[in-house]
């Protein structure tokens, strides 16, 4: 076996972290269409077959990449939820964390790619429900400080955030991230009502 083949079949060191970092770089550079196990294997000097051992398929790779991305966001959400900022300030920070950073944000492109697949792949559906529930729980935790109608307001805020995120992702020129936040903020109870509730 040649040295090149030895490199391509070697076991990856730190397999998950290395693959996630390289897959994310590939996603940012070339988009989802070129995020394949074969191209990823070429970049990692290993075989697509070896990567298939870890992920099974492209859907498996996308799922693990989403778990990796959402795991980092969960850590950031935990920090902001424990901050001494007001409920509105914490909700603003959470919205900024959630909204696409720019048109074509890779994290949101992953979601767009996975949404059509969840109806046919139980593992993806389970992951979607898990991630959605985590975001909803954090939003509800903040809104609980602002209203007695936590469930209803959470549904409205989540639905609005998702719609605004799609607009930002696709490059809607009539909307900025700050304007998106103002739309969410408009759903919050009036300040005088907050004062009365907390009195």
């Amino acid at each position: 076996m040649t040295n090149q083949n030895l490199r391509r079949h070697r076991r990856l060191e730190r397999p998950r972290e290395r693959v996630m970092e390289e897959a994310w770089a590939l996603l940012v550079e070339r988009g989802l269409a070129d995020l394949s196990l074969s191209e990823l294997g070429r970049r990692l000097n290993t075989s697509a077959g070896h990567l298939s051992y870890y992920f099974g398929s492209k859907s498996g790779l996308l799922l693990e990449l989403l778990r990796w991305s959402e795991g980092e966001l969960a850590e950031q959400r935990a920090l902001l939820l424990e901050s001494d900022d007001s409920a509105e300030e914490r909700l603003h920070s959470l919205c900024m964390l959630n909204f696409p950073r720019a048109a074509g944000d890779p994290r949101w492109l992953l979601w767009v790619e996975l949404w059509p697949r969840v109806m046919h792949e139980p593992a993806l559906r389970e992951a979607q429900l898990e991630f959605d529930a985590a975001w909803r729980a954090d939003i509800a935790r903040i809104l609980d400080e602002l209203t007695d109608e936590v469930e209803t307001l959470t549904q409205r805020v989540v639905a609005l955030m998702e719609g605004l995120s799609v607009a930002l992702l696709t490059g809607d020129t009539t909307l900025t991230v700050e304007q998106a936040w103002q739309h969410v903020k408009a759903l919050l109870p009036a300040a005088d009502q907050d004062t009365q509730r907390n009195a």
Side-chain angles (χ1 to χ4, degrees), residues 12 24-25 48 54 75 78 99 117 123-124 144 161 192:
L12 291 170
W24 191 262
Y54 288 105
E75 293 178 2
F99 288 146
R117 302 177 185 223
L124 294 180
D144 186 52
M161 286 174 63
D192 57 342

Side-chain angles (χ1 to χ4, degrees), residues 144-148 189-199:
D144 186 52
E145 301 176 33
L146 300 175
T147 181
D148 293 320
D192 57 342
Q193 293 176 332
D194 299 344
T195 302
Q196 293 174 13
R197 182 172 185 270
N198 294 323

Side-chain angles (χ1 to χ4, degrees), residues 32 59 62 66 70 98 100 107-121 124-125 127-129 131-132 158 161-167 169-170:
L32 281 164
S59 288
L62 294 177
L66 188 62
E70 288 293 326
N98 178 270
R107 180 174 63 89
W108 272 93
L109 287 179
L110 272 176
W111 277 109
V112 171
E113 178 73 14
L114 290 172
W115 280 333
R117 302 177 185 223
V118 299
M119 302 307 295
H120 308 289
E121 301 186 39
L124 294 180
R125 178 61 174 166
Q128 181 202 16
L129 293 174
F131 298 140
D132 285 351
V158 169
M161 286 174 63
E162 289 179 350
L164 292 168
S165 292
V166 171
L169 179 68
T170 55

Side-chain angles (χ1 to χ4, degrees), residues 5-123:
N5 286 336
L6 284 171
R7 288 196 302 271
R8 290 184 60 78
H9 290 83
R10 69 188 177 188
R11 292 186 62 83
L12 291 170
E13 298 173 2
R14 295 191 308 119
R16 185 174 186 273
E17 195 65 19
R18 283 193 61 210
V19 172
M20 293 300 98
E21 291 170 355
E22 196 61 47
W24 191 262
L26 180 58
L27 176 63
V28 171
E29 292 170 19
R30 299 173 59 175
L32 281 164
D34 290 325
L35 180 57
S36 64
L37 293 179
S38 58
E39 175 61 20
L40 189 56
R42 186 187 67 76
R43 290 189 173 214
L44 290 164
N45 289 320
T46 192
S47 67
H50 187 68
L51 293 175
S52 294
Y53 173 81
Y54 288 105
F55 305 110
S57 65
K58 182 174 179 177
S59 288
L61 171 61
L62 294 177
L63 175 57
E64 285 306 305
L65 195 55
L66 188 62
R67 287 189 184 282
W68 184 70
S69 172
E70 288 293 326
E72 292 187 338
L73 290 176
E75 293 178 2
Q76 295 177 57
R77 293 202 312 272
L79 290 175
L80 74 86
L81 286 171
E82 297 302 327
S83 77
D84 294 327
D85 294 340
S86 69
E88 183 179 308
E89 289 170 334
R90 278 177 282 137
L91 184 62
H92 175 262
S93 296
L94 191 146
C95 283
M96 295 301 104
L97 198 59
N98 178 270
F99 288 146
R101 308 308 195 261
D105 184 314
R107 180 174 63 89
W108 272 93
L109 287 179
L110 272 176
W111 277 109
V112 171
E113 178 73 14
L114 290 172
W115 280 333
R117 302 177 185 223
V118 299
M119 302 307 295
H120 308 289
E121 301 186 39

Side-chain angles (χ1 to χ4, degrees), residues 153-165:
L153 186 55
T154 298
Q155 290 176 340
R156 291 174 179 171
V157 167
V158 169
L160 182 57
M161 286 174 63
E162 289 179 350
L164 292 168
S165 292

